[in-house]
Amino acid sequence: MRGFNKTTVVTQFILVGFSSLGELQLLLFIIFLLLYVTILVANVTIMAVIRFSWTLHTPMYGFLFILSFSESCYTFVIIPQLLVHLLSDTKTISFVACATQLFFFLGFACTNCFLIAMMGYDRYVAICHPLRYTLIMNKRLGLGLISLSGATGFSIALVATNLICDMPFCGPNRVNHYFCDMAPVIKLACTDTHVKELALFSLSILVIMVPFLLILISYGFIVNTILKIPSAEGKRKAFATCASHLTVVFVHYGCASIVYLRPKSKSASDKDQLVAVTYTVVTPLLNPLVYSLRNKEVKAALKRVLGTPVITKTS
């Protein structure tokens, strides 16, 4: 980052978060702690299964491995601090720490959006061009798409963080959220923010709508191909391979759209914190659960890693 605006006089922010809930914060601490541990265990399990099972060394599961890693980092940026603040009367965060949290939160969030879109392209190639799948989705292309997702995601995060930190903050310093997100922080700037809000809104469209539209186009071709399959069993298996990804797509992009693609007049709502819980806690937990519970290959690989006999139709 280039550095903060020299007229900035606020040295720290107060994250209001769930302060109004009083003694219920202890209950929230227990709930969020259990969810956080579950998220880490679930995602690490997915990564371990993919790493140690040679049958899952394909581009599709390579994307899932990186997504699980990114989701783990994504929650690490937010939840530990939230847990500390739920038990503390002092809920402050320095200006620099707030900017750092915002950068890494946006970086991993944007990367996840692009990764999920890449997974959609992978499904398109697998179903629409099955005979050429290994030729098209080779290791080099897979690594390239993953690198592109990360580089683009963190580049956008750097631009967005600079746009926000370049504004003067001279008070008040109470952020109506449980972490440093774009809209709650921008509201505290001591200047006209319309131009920068428009720029940030444009970046949000780029990160959310463009990948989502590409996924819809991919699935348009996928559905068209599946409908041409003569057997009902073939159609069922083809749709089943896409069900896990589609579940994650609609939850992930749906929650992001609710928060970041709404008009300004409707963006400053306490309900945003409830939606934020969904995309900062529920979605990272949803990904490994959906892919492990609905994916026969992952479940079979997990049993092999754990040393549990895998029962097949032939056995």
Side-chain angles (χ1 to χ4, degrees), residues 53-75:
S53 180
W54 63 269
T55 59
L56 301 183
H57 290 180
T58 64
M60 172 185 174
Y61 294 106
F63 288 127
L64 180 56
F65 181 95
I66 299 300
L67 181 63
S68 295
F69 174 76
S70 181
E71 293 281 21
S72 299
C73 297
Y74 173 78
T75 55

Side-chain angles (χ1 to χ4, degrees), residues 123-142:
R123 291 299 81 207
Y124 159 74
V125 177
I127 294 176
C128 297
H129 305 282
L131 299 180
R132 300 174 56 200
Y133 177 74
T134 54
L135 180 63
I136 298 174
M137 290 301 298
N138 52 52
K139 184 177 181 180
R140 181 178 180 181
L141 179 61

Side-chain angles (χ1 to χ4, degrees), residues 163 192-201:
L163 284 173
D192 182 28
T193 61
H194 286 86
V195 174
K196 292 193 175 183
E197 282 184 310
L198 181 60
L200 292 171
F201 183 75

Side-chain angles (χ1 to χ4, degrees), residues 209-241:
M209 292 308 300
V210 172
F212 183 67
L213 290 175
L214 291 176
I215 292 173
L216 291 183
I217 292 172
S218 296
Y219 273 97
F221 287 108
I222 289 173
V223 171
N224 183 58
T225 300
I226 291 176
L227 293 178
K228 294 178 181 179
I229 298 176
S231 67
E233 180 66 14
K235 292 179 180 178
R236 186 191 65 78
K237 289 183 177 180
F239 277 119
T241 61

Side-chain angles (χ1 to χ4, degrees), residues 106-118:
L106 293 176
F108 286 115
C110 295
T111 298
N112 292 344
C113 284
F114 295 126
L115 278 174
I116 294 173
M118 299 305 176

Side-chain angles (χ1 to χ4, degrees), residues 18-38:
F18 302 102
S19 301
S20 61
L21 297 180
E23 295 181 356
L24 288 177
Q25 290 182 88
L26 179 59
L27 177 60
L28 282 179
F29 171 83
I30 296 173
I31 293 174
F32 280 121
L33 177 61
L34 292 176
L35 287 173
Y36 182 52
V37 172
T38 304

Side-chain angles (χ1 to χ4, degrees), residues 38-58:
T38 304
I39 288 170
L40 293 182
V41 171
N43 280 291
V44 169
T45 300
I46 288 290
M47 290 188 287
V49 169
I50 294 173
R51 172 65 180 82
F52 295 110
S53 180
W54 63 269
T55 59
L56 301 183
H57 290 180
T58 64

